Amino acid sequence: MFIQTEATPNPATLKFLPGRLVLPEGTADFRDEHEAARSPLAERLFAVPGVAGVFLGHDFITVTKRDAEWPHLKPAILGAIMEHFMTGAPVISTSKREADAAEFFEAEDGEVVETIKELIETRVRPAVAQDGGDITFRGFRDGVVYLDMKGSCSGCPSSTATLKHGIQNLLRHFVPEVREVAAA
């Protein structure tokens, strides 16, 4: 098994590409060992000293480190990923996945929200996934779009610039009702 790695805009996060499907649909974000209990893969990665977060995408895994250096962590993480896939254990241990937090917006903004969601789905998420992260819609209120940043995007030094200059400008261009974009 050959696992590729890619740098992300967040220096504390590295993207691992195992060359196979990780999650058939959606994403999963684990911020600590407790949350990782529903994923044998995430549990195995958190057993590596220095791992602070695990994010699972369609065909990639991003790992966020604490204080350790990548040259020391990377071999152990590669070993944990390889070992997991060699055992044939499931990535998520339960078939029922936890639902994302409820979205919020006024009923009269439904059409605007659908346009925002389509833009995020077709233009923003694919680009963010290339950097090992994900962004999902959380809500829309008083002209402000609230987005949840996951994976390498969470805690990334450039995430504020991505939100304000990239996503905000895109949404304001196509949806005049959008005044601002903020992290949820």
Side-chain angles (χ1 to χ4, degrees):
M1 176 177 197
F2 179 71
I3 302 170
Q4 294 180 316
T5 60
E6 291 180 4
T8 71
N10 184 349
T13 303
L14 199 58
K15 182 177 177 182
F16 295 83
L17 298 143
R20 61 177 59 188
L21 182 71
V22 176
L23 285 180
E25 60 183 42
T27 60
D29 194 13
F30 305 99
R31 309 267 177 152
D32 59 37
E33 296 90 357
H34 175 71
E35 290 180 7
R38 64 186 187 97
S39 169
L41 174 57
E43 279 184 312
R44 196 179 299 262
L45 290 167
F46 272 107
V48 175
V51 170
V54 174
F55 178 79
L56 307 174
H58 180 71
D59 61 352
F60 67 90
I61 302 155
T62 56
V63 177
T64 303
K65 68 181 180 83
R66 281 194 179 86
D67 302 324
E69 296 300 320
W70 284 120
H72 300 294
L73 278 177
K74 193 173 162 183
I77 292 169
L78 288 167
I81 293 170
M82 191 175 307
E83 187 177 306
H84 173 80
F85 283 112
M86 298 305 238
T87 66
V91 172
I92 301 290
S93 58
T94 60
S95 60
K96 180 183 167 206
R97 305 207 354 166
E98 293 177 23
D100 288 333
E103 295 176 352
F104 59 90
F105 56 91
E106 299 297 324
E108 61 266 15
D109 292 328
E111 193 173 312
V112 170
V113 167
E114 284 307 311
T115 303
I116 291 168
K117 285 177 161 183
E118 181 183 344
L119 288 167
I120 291 168
E121 201 61 38
T122 59
R123 296 184 181 224
V124 177
R125 288 185 79 196
V128 172
Q130 286 187 333
D131 287 336
D134 194 17
I135 292 183
T136 54
F137 175 84
R138 284 290 147 243
F140 179 70
R141 183 178 298 135
D142 300 324
V144 180
V145 176
Y146 295 91
L147 301 173
D148 189 16
M149 302 180 82
K150 302 174 186 175
S152 67
C153 294
S154 176
C156 175
S158 62
S159 64
T160 302
T162 299
L163 273 179
K164 293 297 178 188
H165 302 297
I167 301 168
Q168 180 172 288
N169 287 345
L170 171 79
L171 293 179
R172 287 170 73 183
H173 175 77
F174 288 102
V175 186
E177 294 84 352
V178 173
R179 288 186 303 105
E180 182 181 355
V181 174

